[in-house]
Amino acid sequence: MRPPFCKMAAPREKTAGRTLGRRWPSDSPSAPTKEVSVSSRFVGLMAVLTACFSSGFAGVYFEKILKETKQSVWIRNIQLGFFGGIFGMMGVLVYDGDRVSKEGFFQGYNHLTWTVVALQALGGLVIAAVIKYADNILKGFATSLSIILSTLISYFWLQDFVPTSVFFLGAMFVISATFLYGYDPKPSVNPIKA
């Protein structure tokens, strides 16, 4: 059975909305513009496409690993965290090894830093649970909506971002794609067969 058109179109619309919702040039005519060469645009496009494909493959593989094994989400998170920690420590040693050996690993940490660390750890657990019990597409929609929510908080509460008309267009795409994906049309009843 083919999925409904809404379920097939929603991820594409979400992608368009997220692309438009990124920080875009300002709407104001007084904003300075910088000339960009065709070569740097091509390199940027290739970098974005590479990031999209690698992120998509990683998400699908992570979903496959979580759903096809008998081990719990907790064990998988510990395994991923262990190897992520090894690569992270290698980066710390290469870039900040001297500073860490003199001042310690936790130098400069304050309450805000610990809050961000705790939120990132909690976010990783939530993502693993979402992928385990839902799917990677729903995680993408949740990420898109969180970008919009973060932007609104940044605009209304922190007052450090001014959204453009292109951002609002992208936000409308994301929100409508979310509703399209969740839309489940009722089957039409044929009065002749009933």
Side-chain angles (χ1 to χ4, degrees):
M1 182 172 130
R2 281 185 52 207
F5 173 75
C6 295
K7 294 236 189 263
M8 294 184 333
R12 290 171 185 82
E13 188 174 339
K14 176 199 61 141
T15 302
R18 284 180 68 180
T19 302
L20 290 173
R22 300 280 184 208
R23 296 214 182 236
W24 205 265
S26 175
D27 285 341
S28 67
S30 64
T33 58
K34 182 179 175 185
E35 190 65 32
V36 180
S37 71
V38 174
S39 173
S40 64
R41 285 183 182 171
F42 179 75
V43 170
L45 177 65
M46 289 298 111
V48 167
L49 288 176
T50 303
C52 287
F53 281 111
S54 64
S55 173
F57 286 133
V60 169
Y61 181 72
F62 184 57
E63 181 178 356
K64 177 185 180 298
I65 291 295
L66 281 178
K67 290 187 176 181
E68 288 185 356
T69 60
K70 295 178 181 173
Q71 292 178 337
S72 71
V73 173
W74 297 101
I75 298 298
R76 285 292 175 198
N77 273 333
I78 290 170
Q79 290 171 341
L80 290 170
F82 176 74
F83 290 109
I86 289 173
F87 287 114
M89 285 305 291
M90 288 178 6
V92 166
L93 292 176
V94 168
Y95 292 107
D96 294 325
D98 295 337
R99 238 175 120 188
V100 168
S101 65
K102 292 176 187 171
E103 300 175 30
F105 184 79
F106 298 109
Q107 36 112 15
Y109 277 42
N110 57 22
H111 293 296
L112 182 60
T113 308
W114 284 111
T115 303
V116 169
V117 168
L119 286 174
Q120 290 293 321
L122 181 65
L125 294 174
V126 168
I127 286 173
V130 165
I131 290 178
K132 173 78 174 178
Y133 299 111
D135 63 7
N136 199 29
I137 294 174
L138 288 177
K139 182 197 81 79
F141 281 113
T143 303
S144 300
L145 290 174
S146 73
I147 290 170
I148 293 172
L149 181 64
S150 299
T151 303
L152 292 175
I153 289 172
S154 180
Y155 176 70
F156 287 112
W157 189 30
L158 302 176
Q159 298 176 351
D160 66 349
F161 174 66
V162 178
T164 64
S165 59
V166 177
F167 172 81
F168 285 116
L169 179 66
M172 285 182 1
F173 272 136
V174 168
I175 292 168
S176 65
T178 304
F179 283 113
L180 273 176
Y181 189 74
Y183 177 68
D184 192 18
K186 303 280 188 243
S188 61
V189 178
N190 191 349
I192 297 171
K193 291 184 179 180

